[in-house]
Amino acid sequence: MDDNNFGSYFRRRIIFIMMIGFFAICITQLFNMQILEQPAYSEKSDENSVKPIYQTAPRGVFFDRNHKVMVGNKPSFTLRITPSTYDKKLNPYIEAILSTSPGYIDRILKQNESYSKFIPRRIAKDVSFKVIAWYEENASKLPGVDYIMETQRDYSFSIMGSHMFGYTKEIPMEIYQHRKNEYDIGDDIGFGGIEKTYEDYLRGDKGIKYMLVDAKQKTIGRYKNGEEDQTAVKGDDLVLTIDKDAQSVAEEAFKNKRGAVVAIEPSTGEIIAFLSAPQYNLQDFAKVTTNEVWRDLNNNPDKPMFNRASMSTFAPGSTFKMISAIAALEEGIIDTNYKINCGGGYQFGDRYFKDLHVHGTVDVETSIEKSCNTFYYSLVNKIGLDLWSKYAKKFGFGSKSRIDIPEEAAGIVPSTDYYNKVYGKNGWTKGFVISLGIGQGELNVTPLQLAQYAALFANSGKSARPHFLKGYTDMHTNLFVEVKPQTYDIGISKKSFDIVRRAMYLVVNGAGTATNIRSDELQISGKTGTAQNPHGKEHSLFIGFAPFNNPKIAIAVLVENAGFGSTVAAPIARDIIKAYLIKRNKEENKNLAAVTIVQEGKIAH
Amino acid sequence: MHINYKLQDRFDLAIFIPAVVLMIFGLLAIYSSTFNHPTASGNFQKQLIFAVVAIIAFFITFSLPQQLFKSFVIPLFFASLFFLLAVLVVGKTVYGAKSWFGIGGFGFQPSELAKLGTILMLAYWLTYKSRDINNLLDIGVALAIGFVPIMLIMLEPDMGTSIVFAIITISLIFWSGISLFGLFIVLSPGFVVFASLFGVYAFVTALLLIVAALFFFKRDLFNSITVFIINLSAGFFFDYALKILKPHQQKRISSFLDPSADPLGSGYNALQAKVAIGSGGFFGKGFLHGNQTQLRYIPQQWTDFIYCVIGEEFGFIGSVLVIALFLIIFLRLFKLSATAKDKFSVLIIIGVLTLFFSHFTINIGMNLGITPVIGLPLPFLSYGGSSLLINMVMLGIVMNIYKNRKLHT
């Protein structure tokens, strides 16, 4: 045995260096981790053990102009499934308790397949307490299933307003991709109407509860006793311009009809009532909207999803006669002394344009009061297409009103350029123009545009952009922010308006076409119309405003396939006006009384 | 400070006190990681009992007559081999390995006993009369003494402990004065095997390095070719051995090679251990206030990952203190090995040192993320009765050798 080598100095050195070396490595690594990189590790450690639980904020509530609730919120249970831990064998049991059709869960899971399977999917919203009790009892046998309390839209305030309010829906993937900072998967987002336009006000701020979780993601307690938690801030409440009573009268009147109503406060553009009938039930959208609901709505021949009030376009019929009248008066083509003889029609070239009655001698006032077609056949011919078109456009036809909901159509106001474009330079005749005089032909307008048009007559050419939002309560500052109306003036003389307005007064209060809705109290002025409809019976139309001397409401009513304007549309308009004005008067009197009391009080002191 | 020289002459406080302090650290860490644990909350009390028993065993070993150890060597070694065999048949499976005997509420790990048996046996064999450490047969027998328990433990399977046995065997042969070429023969297959983990190119490169080294040693052709063939076959044998490894062991190897490949598997523990230690900072989060520990991010933290409890709750200061205590024990053992009166005693101390140091290196390295995840307890700290008992018995033998260093028989 080689004694020199046993535990030699060289061997001792190697072992010694290894020990000191490893000690040095450990100290270096500890220094790196615990001192230099400590912040990064701490962050990781906190992320690890702290799980944020997001609470959706209740959306802002919709109030009407008198601060009555129209759309509220209510607490509801939402049943959720997290696919990563869920067993599809449970489908039939859950479907049975939810009483949905077999395959319902598979369908919903399929719709959301592209999301991470660790994110819970909302399977059913607004589930009954019975379901929750069942879940609680069987929770251990239902891995991947849970429920949360959420607030949900409450539509139980006796009006529907489906087209103006719009609905909310789980955020679709395309939108989510662009707004990842603001939304999480499964969040609701406004999808139409006011819900969409004012989404950023209504949404509110999510609350975050930080929970301590162990490695199995089981909740152990609150992080820092909830110090860092953020409470959910409810979305801004909106005060809308709608008058709930007027709206509800409109909805009642259209129970079994198709059509639309738009009522506007003439000087401010505030929309008092807005209806497209038939409506759809917003409550259906508050739950997880199933394909069946969509299919039913889309296949319904009455097209309930279609917003007739601002999207449907049609020829406005006699309601459009005032355009020609005001253009001719303003341009000096006629004056109040100008008269024609109505023999029951108008010969133009080889075509004869018929009137419904023989009106005899007709001036501009009578032409509106009695709705004489002959007068306008000849008048529009005198004015000429492009001048007429210019005036129609002044009143807002042919372009969008920029109302604050996304659904709106511009309509069509024909002009020389338009006809040239559609029919070619020589493809159309002057005869096309004659029927425009009585609002027929290729003219396309929406009920909203007609209401705006009525408002301009009510206020003699001055109005404001139609809008739904009167103001909102900023939930962060708790201050009410009022929305200023965007007023405009179409620049037509009061003199011309006075003549036409007087004629519109006589339509209802003289010997006109709508004397059936005459009311001394309301002082309605207006114009009836019957819009020809290539698909069936004519649409019944009425536009108007009231009271005559100081108009507070302008209105357009369309009843589809209902015949003469005076018989169907006009009474509906009267009822809505009445609902709005009578209450308004009462309130004004009340305010007056209050002022008097205060003044008396002051005197007493 | 007054030191009782008479006591220090017979009893080395510089080993005993650090060991006891480490045991106290271990108890604190075990308490912190288990006190609100649903199934492991009794571990602190059990470990406290183990600690008391271990200290008693330490003193018993310390007071035994030294001659006794030599006569114990052979029966102890074969008894431990017998237990290692028996555990494969009647052992109970814990965490995928058949390495325990269940005796009542307690378990016993025969591989711990085998550590003592193998160290004593190797020390005995390597210092027996006129052993020639460069004689191939003598090396072969020494390797066989290590290889038999290694194979039996691999069958459990417990890779970490097998590695420790291999390190002990090699370092005792090394200490006994093997020549550089002899050491090369012993170590080169290991090098080739390790290289083969990294793929075919690494394997070929390693073989080329072996060939270059053989040219450097300038031995005769027969010897050189024999060594080369041993290396080549080691590579292929390992490839075969890898295939019989349990999936979780294969995963451990692959997750060391690429930790990001399997973040929730075995790499998960390593990552969470690093997060625990790193987030501890300089002063630590405080006893019982480490969220990684208290929220149980690291499974079975009271065993192999006990060091990250210290790192998280006692911070840089605590972590360095624990390492420093170990260094004191190591340096002290190293020093004592030079004072022992015979080679047998020297090799025993070197064996004990190697055992502690390899456990320490592999465990701390794993906790700090500088070595792969290999399940090995940290001596004196990790929860476990057998390990604590045998560790203290071994310190008792060392202390016994120290006590008798001036006696001549």
Side-chain angles (χ1 to χ4, degrees):
Chain A
M1 181 168 174
D2 187 354
D3 259 6
N4 293 333
N5 277 341
F6 184 91
S8 68
Y9 178 74
F10 170 68
R11 278 152 221 261
R12 295 192 72 82
R13 270 293 101 156
I14 288 179
I15 301 285
F16 183 76
I17 289 168
M18 276 171 69
M19 288 194 298
I20 298 294
F22 188 71
F23 182 75
I25 291 170
C26 287
I27 300 289
T28 314
Q29 176 74 351
L30 280 171
F31 185 80
N32 268 337
M33 285 166 70
Q34 296 189 302
I35 293 169
L36 301 182
E37 292 166 25
Q38 186 263 344
Y41 281 115
S42 280
E43 200 178 301
K44 244 185 205 156
S45 163
D46 286 346
E47 264 173 32
N48 237 348
S49 46
V50 179
K51 183 177 164 192
I53 306 240
Y54 294 100
Q55 291 173 301
T56 45
R59 285 178 82 81
V61 165
F62 293 171
F63 292 102
D64 90 332
R65 59 192 298 125
N66 301 310
H67 298 94
K68 287 185 200 157
V69 179
M70 294 193 291
V71 176
N73 292 313
K74 63 181 176 189
S76 77
F77 296 111
T78 299
L79 200 69
R80 307 191 302 178
I81 283 177
T82 310
S84 58
T85 45
Y86 179 69
D87 182 356
K88 283 198 171 167
K89 280 183 205 138
L90 297 169
N91 281 359
Y93 303 102
I94 298 174
E95 279 160 0
I97 195 81
L98 291 174
S99 40
T100 55
S101 54
Y104 168 81
I105 292 174
D106 265 341
R107 238 182 355 259
I108 291 198
L109 292 181
K110 204 153 225 142
Q111 279 169 23
N112 299 309
E113 237 171 6
S114 49
Y115 299 143
S116 157
K117 58 186 179 13
F118 294 98
I119 295 174
R121 322 287 203 246
R122 289 168 166 81
I123 286 294
K125 291 184 183 179
D126 198 20
V127 298
S128 67
F129 190 73
K130 184 189 88 183
V131 175
I132 298 305
W134 170 83
Y135 168 80
E136 287 283 4
E137 227 170 87
N138 300 291
S140 61
K141 291 174 239 158
L142 297 165
V145 184
D146 69 351
Y147 70 90
I148 47 168
M149 273 270 276
E150 289 186 306
T151 57
Q152 195 214 330
R153 277 300 196 206
D154 182 2
Y155 297 108
S156 63
F157 298 92
S158 70
I159 59 164
M160 291 176 83
S162 43
H163 296 91
M164 60 173 162
F165 295 150
Y167 53 93
T168 60
K169 201 172 122 171
E170 266 188 37
I171 186 163
M173 199 63 173
E174 319 81 83
I175 300 176
Y176 172 71
Q177 299 287 11
H178 296 290
R179 305 189 72 174
K180 275 184 181 165
N181 298 335
E182 301 148 278
Y183 293 90
D184 292 306
I185 287 166
D187 282 359
D188 280 341
I189 185 168
F191 231 78
I194 295 164
E195 295 271 23
K196 180 169 184 180
T197 304
Y198 296 107
E199 166 67 17
D200 290 343
Y201 295 81
L202 292 166
R203 172 169 95 234
D205 298 337
K206 260 190 212 173
I208 309 174
K209 252 192 194 164
Y210 293 101
M211 306 303 283
L212 284 176
V213 292
D214 67 9
K216 286 180 185 146
Q217 297 295 300
K218 207 180 113 198
T219 305
I220 311 245
R222 307 287 293 274
Y223 173 68
K224 288 194 181 169
N225 288 321
E227 256 173 60
E228 312 247 309
D229 290 3
Q230 288 165 27
T231 41
V233 179
K234 180 171 174 277
D236 297 345
D237 288 340
L238 304 187
V239 175
L240 301 182
T241 56
I242 295 293
D243 183 281
K244 194 177 163 186
D245 299 325
Q247 178 74 20
S248 121
V249 168
E251 290 188 0
E252 195 58 41
F254 273 90
K255 268 269 158 69
N256 301 306
K257 297 186 179 71
R258 276 172 288 118
V261 173
V262 180
I264 296 181
E265 151 82 61
S267 58
T268 58
E270 292 173 357
I271 294 171
I272 294 162
F274 188 95
L275 171 73
S276 170
Q279 307 202 66
Y280 53 92
N281 194 351
L282 287 170
Q283 195 62 48
D284 292 340
F285 287 80
K287 305 190 175 185
V288 170
T289 315
T290 57
N291 291 341
E292 289 104 70
V293 173
W294 279 109
R295 210 176 39 233
D296 287 354
L297 285 171
N298 287 327
N299 292 346
N300 188 325
D302 286 343
K303 293 192 176 147
M305 292 291 286
F306 183 59
N307 186 344
R308 289 168 162 80
S310 51
M311 302 269 298
S312 75
T313 58
F314 47 87
S318 300
T319 57
F320 219 70
K321 284 176 177 161
M322 285 89 84
I323 290 286
S324 304
I326 211 127
L329 287 165
E330 189 68 9
E331 295 292 327
I333 294 164
I334 59 165
D335 58 19
T336 43
N337 297 322
Y338 172 82
K339 289 184 179 74
I340 64 137
N341 185 46
C342 168
Y346 177 68
Q347 185 70 43
F348 182 79
D350 55 358
R351 268 191 75 185
Y352 187 72
F353 292 88
K354 265 173 48 178
D355 200 338
L356 295 170
H357 301 281
V358 179
H359 294 101
T361 306
V362 176
D363 64 0
V364 65
E365 191 178 280
T366 328
S367 73
I368 291 170
E369 182 184 358
K370 303 250 167 101
S371 201
C372 171
N373 286 355
T374 314
F375 187 90
Y376 287 97
Y377 291 139
S378 69
L379 187 60
V380 75
N381 200 18
K382 268 191 173 78
I383 297 166
L385 174 61
D386 285 330
L387 192 60
W388 172 88
S389 175
K390 184 183 131 193
Y391 273 85
K393 283 172 181 163
K394 273 192 182 200
F395 280 87
F397 295 104
S399 59
K400 291 184 177 178
S401 70
R402 295 184 297 122
I403 189 175
D404 48 354
I405 55 172
E407 302 84 10
E408 189 183 9
I412 299 167
V413 173
S415 61
T416 307
D417 285 345
Y418 173 82
Y419 282 135
N420 282 343
K421 217 183 275 169
V422 177
Y423 298 102
K425 257 203 156 76
N426 300 312
W428 57 285
T429 62
K430 263 201 150 184
F432 281 51
V433 182
I434 305 300
S435 49
L436 291 176
I438 59 157
Q440 305 291 4
E442 258 162 277
L443 184 59
N444 267 336
V445 307
T446 67
L448 173 64
Q449 285 170 337
L450 285 178
Q452 189 178 232
Y453 168 65
L456 285 165
F457 283 105
N459 217 30
S460 302
K462 296 184 194 64
S463 187
R465 183 160 81 98
H467 61 277
F468 286 104
L469 188 65
K470 208 168 162 60
Y472 60 92
T473 311
D474 186 324
M475 282 298 164
H476 292 278
T477 58
N478 252 326
L479 292 175
F480 183 74
V481 183
E482 205 159 343
V483 172
K484 291 267 169 299
Q486 298 171 24
T487 54
Y488 62 89
D489 187 339
I490 60 169
I492 291 172
S493 70
K494 190 168 179 301
K495 200 180 136 212
S496 306
F497 268 118
D498 281 348
I499 298 162
V500 178
R501 288 179 87 246
R502 182 163 169 74
M504 289 171 76
Y505 179 76
L506 294 174
V507 169
V508 181
N509 301 288
T513 53
T515 48
N516 57 327
I517 62 162
R518 176 177 175 158
S519 154
D520 290 337
E521 187 185 24
L522 301 174
Q523 302 266 307
I524 301 170
S525 315
K527 181 75 191 78
T528 55
T530 307
Q532 283 174 359
N533 172 18
H535 309 295
K537 206 175 162 192
E538 290 93 343
H539 299 328
S540 172
L541 275 172
F542 181 82
I543 68 155
F545 57 86
F548 178 72
N549 285 320
N550 181 20
K552 291 292 168 205
I553 181 168
I555 194 166
V557 176
L558 160 76
V559 186
E560 286 183 4
N561 314 111
F564 287 115
S566 57
T567 49
V568 187
I572 294 174
R574 178 200 55 210
D575 292 345
I576 295 167
I577 290 169
K578 189 175 171 188
Y580 180 65
L581 286 185
I582 299 300
K583 181 179 51 164
R584 205 188 142 79
N585 288 341
K586 267 190 209 153
E587 258 155 39
E588 264 170 18
N589 290 339
K590 234 193 276 170
N591 288 344
L592 215 66
V595 169
T596 320
I597 290 164
V598 170
Q599 280 170 348
E600 279 170 359
K602 271 184 189 155
I603 292 162
H605 280 89
Chain B
M1 190 171 136
H2 175 75
I3 296 171
N4 185 341
Y5 286 99
K6 222 180 150 198
L7 174 65
Q8 176 63 38
D9 194 42
R10 287 173 45 79
F11 187 85
D12 192 31
L13 287 171
I15 285 181
F16 184 72
I17 291 174
V20 171
V21 174
L22 285 175
M23 273 166 28
I24 292 169
F25 261 110
L27 283 165
L28 287 176
I30 289 165
Y31 181 75
S32 179
S33 58
T34 59
F35 78 102
N36 63 2
H37 194 279
T39 56
S41 57
N43 285 8
F44 172 75
Q45 284 87 339
K46 282 194 201 165
Q47 183 76 354
L48 196 60
I49 297 166
F50 294 148
V52 173
V53 171
I55 288 173
I56 293 169
F58 166 83
F59 282 108
I60 292 172
T61 329
F62 171 68
S63 43
L64 288 175
Q66 201 199 355
Q67 299 89 319
L68 216 57
F69 298 130
K70 226 169 206 165
S71 48
F72 265 144
V73 171
I74 291 170
L76 185 65
F77 179 67
F78 286 100
S80 48
L81 290 189
F82 169 76
F83 284 129
L84 283 178
L85 261 174
V87 83
L88 291 175
V89 184
V90 297
K92 88 183 165 171
T93 305
V94 178
Y95 311 128
K98 243 185 176 183
S99 61
W100 289 80
F101 286 120
I103 305 161
F106 293 94
F108 177 72
Q109 245 182 319
S111 61
E112 293 295 331
L113 185 68
K115 281 173 186 166
L116 182 59
T118 308
I119 289 173
L120 290 177
M121 188 65 197
L122 276 169
Y124 181 72
W125 172 259
L126 287 169
T127 57
Y128 187 74
K129 287 183 185 149
S130 55
R131 192 70 65 214
D132 179 7
I133 193 60
N134 287 318
N135 178 310
L136 267 179
L137 183 70
D138 284 355
I139 297 180
V141 174
L143 285 175
I145 291 171
F147 193 69
V148 173
I150 289 174
M151 284 316 290
L152 290 173
I153 292 166
M154 267 201 175
L155 288 173
E156 289 180 357
D158 181 351
M159 188 167 64
T161 309
S162 316
I163 290 172
V164 169
F165 274 77
I167 294 172
I168 291 171
T169 311
I170 288 164
S171 60
L172 289 186
I173 291 173
F174 169 72
W175 198 260
S176 300
I178 195 172
S179 68
L180 210 53
F181 183 66
L183 192 67
F184 172 73
I185 295 173
V186 173
L187 286 183
S188 56
F191 170 68
V192 171
V193 160
F194 185 70
S196 72
L197 275 178
F198 296 89
V200 176
Y201 290 112
F203 176 60
V204 172
T205 312
L207 282 177
L208 289 175
L209 284 172
I210 298 293
V211 170
L214 285 170
F215 274 108
F216 169 77
F217 282 114
K218 292 191 183 101
R219 295 293 165 122
D220 60 72
L221 198 62
F222 175 74
N223 264 336
S224 300
I225 289 176
T226 311
V227 172
F228 181 76
I229 288 170
I230 289 172
N231 275 297
L232 191 65
S233 45
F236 285 108
F237 174 75
F238 183 70
D239 191 51
Y240 168 75
L242 259 191
K243 279 175 194 145
I244 62 165
L245 278 184
K246 295 274 151 90
H248 78 272
Q249 290 172 321
Q250 288 176 351
K251 246 186 170 175
R252 281 178 184 180
I253 291 170
S254 64
S255 91
F256 171 60
L257 298 175
D258 181 13
S260 60
D262 177 30
L264 275 170
S266 50
Y268 167 85
N269 290 351
L271 179 73
Q272 293 298 347
K274 280 184 85 174
V275 170
I277 294 171
S279 63
F282 189 76
F283 292 108
K285 297 177 187 167
F287 183 51
L288 306 182
H289 283 97
N291 51 338
Q292 293 280 113
T293 301
Q294 301 309 327
L295 301 173
R296 292 179 222 122
Y297 270 80
I298 302 142
Q300 303 294 322
Q301 207 180 357
W302 51 91
T303 60
D304 300 346
F305 282 100
I306 194 87
Y307 187 65
C308 49
V309 182
I310 310 273
E312 189 182 23
E313 302 199 339
F314 301 109
F316 184 67
I317 293 178
S319 314
V320 171
L321 181 60
V322 166
I323 291 181
L325 289 167
F326 271 108
L327 190 69
I328 292 170
I329 294 177
F330 297 153
L331 292 175
R332 197 66 201 159
L333 285 172
F334 199 50
K335 183 105 197 282
L336 296 193
S337 74
T339 66
K341 64 176 180 164
D342 56 22
K343 284 182 180 174
F344 175 61
S345 307
V346 171
L347 276 193
I348 289 174
I349 298 179
I350 294 299
V352 171
L353 171 60
T354 311
L355 171 71
F356 289 168
F357 186 64
S358 52
H359 265 263
F360 171 80
T361 314
I362 291 169
N363 184 283
I364 299 287
M366 162 180 86
N367 272 275
L368 295 181
I370 48 187
T371 58
V373 175
I374 295 171
L376 268 187
L378 186 60
F380 308 112
L381 283 98
S382 286
Y383 172 77
S386 321
S387 154
L388 189 61
L389 182 70
I390 294 296
N391 287 341
M392 287 310 281
V393 164
M394 285 197 261
L395 277 190
I397 294 173
V398 170
M399 209 66 90
N400 191 311
I401 292 168
Y402 175 74
K403 182 181 74 179
N404 297 313
R405 70 190 181 283
K406 290 167 187 167
L407 293 178
H408 290 274
T409 44

